[in-house]
Amino acid sequence: MARRIYLHVGTPKTGTTFLQSVLWANKDLLADQGLLLPLGQVRDHFHLSLIGRDATTELERVSPRARTAWDRMMEQVGEWNKDVLISHELFAVASAERAAWSVNQLTTVSDEVHPIITARDLARQVPAEWQQSIKHGRTHTLKEFYRLLQQHDPSVLFWRVQDLPVLLRDWSQGLPDDHVHLVTVPPAGGQRDLLFKRFGRTVGIDPDSVDQSISRPNESLGVEEIETLRRINVHAPRQGGKPVRQMMVRQVLAETILAERPGAKKFTPPQAEHPWVVERGTAMVEELRALPYDVVGDLDDLLPPAQPLVGPVPDDVDDHAVAAVAVQTVSAVLYRTHEIESRHLAEQVADLQKQLAQRTKRVETLEQRLKAAWAAYERERDLPVWRRAGRRVRDAGQRIRGTDAEVQPGSQAQR
């Protein structure tokens, strides 16, 4: 049975991709420090989140083995006697009932369950979540997104995963207050490794011992690129399957082609929306101050800055800019996709060649040892029987004398 299970439930867009990529790249090191990441890869934890929130439709699309992820995790955790970390931001989507179910399940294989929520200020969360929704095929403009949030429109998932006081209450059911942790993301421009240091201290590992250079960034698009993608979504066929459509939009267009465009200009939210962001974000922080849970970092990190950012807004991008990006994107789809695929294949081939070289070296070492052992056997086989017996007696005597020499006077062995 595990000692403690840390369940990192999100929220999305709070450095979760960075944290998970660093954690999984250092999985063996963390296990040596007493922290187990169960199962094999971060996608397994995505499957855990599907089961945890009972996402029936999505579970039907995954493999039969993926649907056994929870049972396999429970078995592995039950055999581990130290700490465990499960991390995926889509646990945040779970209802209060499913959050309680997940916690109750984990209490059967551990002494303590510690939910962790990572949080970032609302001024950065809203445009980040809007961009993510566009990557998943949505079509609302950024200004329309702000309106939907202010109206608490149920068609937008934002408040279900970003209302921090509600999330804390949902995931704290039946748990001691000090077992529930809120880790704040440092303000923009802060110390780069501070988030991982805060997270590492929360889960009981030495952050400075972990290699943070191995991380997979969650690519942000430029202002013209994100508006072009939004307009493409408007004309996307609706009759195709949603998973295929999202794969084409996010993985092919957004993260493979548009994210690699040189000279992209970072977009900013509309300045007119900033007063609402300050008001709503400040109110949420004040509500958090009254809650009894463990805060790692500073709640002031979650206060939106007093002044809005100044820069280009996606809604203001004109047709000429979109046309230029669109033409280059079509060209990339036609002529560069195979190059990108070839590059990925080349990386896989290089990795396989590295593994082959390591295993070849291991085989060569074993062959050398086998040859040496066989040569020794051949030499001894040619000796007369009486000499072989005498050699074995001498070897046994040397071992006995060596053992006796290790026993100190007055030791338990001599007594």
Side-chain angles (χ1 to χ4, degrees):
M1 177 177 284
R3 183 173 54 182
R4 288 180 291 259
I5 296 180
Y6 294 100
L7 179 60
H8 179 209
V9 302
T11 62
K13 313 311 297 179
T14 57
T16 53
T17 300
F18 162 71
L19 290 172
Q20 289 157 5
S21 60
V22 171
L23 289 166
W24 282 98
N26 292 273
K27 179 181 179 180
D28 293 341
L29 173 66
L30 298 179
D32 291 340
Q33 294 187 23
L35 184 68
L36 171 72
L37 274 70
L39 306 180
Q41 56 184 331
V42 67
R43 187 159 185 80
D44 292 321
H45 288 207
F46 165 66
H47 297 147
L48 292 177
S49 77
L50 293 180
I51 298 167
R53 54 193 169 93
D54 195 24
T56 307
T57 302
E58 293 173 87
L59 282 169
E60 291 175 352
R61 301 189 187 118
V62 300
S63 68
R65 178 171 173 76
R67 292 194 285 270
T68 68
W70 192 274
D71 292 337
R72 289 185 285 114
M73 175 273 295
M74 293 283 284
E75 180 179 359
Q76 186 179 1
V77 169
E79 296 173 352
W80 181 260
N81 61 2
K82 298 178 182 178
D83 294 342
V84 173
L85 172 62
I86 298 169
S87 173
H88 203 279
E89 62 275 14
L90 291 184
F91 273 106
V93 183
S95 64
E97 292 74 19
R98 293 303 296 184
W101 179 88
S102 298
V103 170
N104 290 337
Q105 283 271 304
L106 296 176
T107 57
T108 65
V109 290
S110 66
D111 296 328
E112 299 176 5
V113 176
H114 291 246
I116 301 174
I117 293 174
T118 44
R120 190 169 68 156
D121 69 89
L122 200 63
R124 288 184 288 172
Q125 286 299 84
V126 174
E129 284 278 32
W130 171 76
Q131 177 176 224
Q132 196 69 4
S133 73
I134 300 303
K135 286 184 179 182
H136 283 82
R138 300 297 295 269
T139 60
H140 37 239
T141 66
L142 184 51
K143 292 177 183 177
E144 289 171 345
F145 190 66
Y146 277 93
R147 298 282 85 77
L148 294 171
L149 298 189
Q150 292 167 24
Q151 297 165 7
H152 285 260
D153 191 297
S155 67
V156 178
L157 192 64
F158 185 89
W159 291 120
R160 187 169 172 181
V161 297
Q162 299 293 345
D163 193 327
L164 299 175
V166 171
L167 279 173
L168 286 164
R169 285 191 284 266
D170 286 350
W171 286 97
S172 65
Q173 299 175 78
L175 297 175
D177 293 339
D178 60 352
H179 288 190
V180 183
H181 312 277
L182 178 68
V183 179
T184 64
V185 176
Q191 187 178 342
R192 187 180 183 276
D193 62 349
L194 185 54
L195 173 60
F196 192 84
K197 286 186 175 181
R198 290 175 176 177
F199 191 87
R201 290 197 301 268
T202 305
V203 299
I205 60 173
D206 177 11
D208 293 330
S209 69
V210 176
D211 181 7
Q212 296 188 42
S213 65
I214 309 172
S215 63
R216 181 171 61 87
N218 198 340
E219 297 291 351
S220 180
L221 302 185
V223 61
E224 295 174 354
E225 288 75 15
I226 189 65
E227 174 60 13
T228 300
L229 184 63
R230 188 194 69 80
R231 296 195 192 187
I232 290 172
N233 291 342
V234 173
H235 299 284
R238 297 291 123 180
Q239 64 270 22
K242 184 178 179 182
V244 175
R245 189 166 63 247
Q246 288 187 350
M247 180 191 71
M248 292 298 297
V249 171
R250 181 171 63 86
Q251 294 179 292
V252 176
L253 287 181
E255 297 177 359
T256 302
I257 294 174
L258 292 174
E260 293 190 358
R261 281 176 52 80
K265 295 173 288 186
K266 186 175 181 179
F267 72 86
T268 59
Q271 294 186 39
E273 306 297 340
H274 195 68
W276 171 80
V277 171
V278 172
E279 179 183 0
R280 183 67 179 87
T282 302
M284 187 158 57
V285 171
E286 293 308 311
E287 190 175 353
L288 291 172
R289 294 190 198 280
L291 298 179
Y293 310 117
D294 175 45
V295 176
V296 184
D298 193 332
L299 286 178
D300 285 348
D301 293 343
L302 305 182
L303 289 171
Q307 299 300 319
L309 294 174
V310 177
V313 178
D315 299 7
D316 297 337
V317 174
D318 60 32
D319 293 347
H320 295 289
V322 169
V325 176
V327 168
Q328 294 170 21
T329 300
V330 170
S331 176
V333 170
L334 290 176
Y335 305 118
R336 285 190 53 224
T337 303
H338 71 284
E339 296 176 4
I340 295 168
E341 292 174 351
S342 298
R343 184 171 70 241
H344 292 329
L345 288 173
E347 292 171 353
Q348 294 177 21
V349 169
D351 183 57
L352 289 172
Q353 289 175 335
K354 181 180 179 181
Q355 295 180 36
L356 177 61
Q358 293 172 342
R359 294 178 183 181
T360 300
K361 185 177 180 181
R362 174 64 174 163
V363 169
E364 290 173 348
T365 301
L366 292 174
E367 285 179 343
Q368 292 172 0
R369 292 177 181 175
L370 179 59
K371 288 178 180 178
W374 182 257
Y377 166 73
E378 289 286 346
R379 288 194 300 270
E380 184 163 326
R381 189 179 65 174
D382 292 337
L383 294 175
V385 173
W386 63 271
R387 290 193 62 182
R388 277 183 272 166
R391 176 176 289 184
R392 290 170 184 167
V393 169
R394 286 196 304 273
D395 291 345
Q398 289 174 356
R399 286 196 297 271
I400 292 171
R401 286 195 296 274
T403 303
D404 289 342
E406 294 175 359
V407 179
Q408 301 299 319
S411 69
Q412 181 67 35
Q414 284 193 327
R415 292 197 293 270

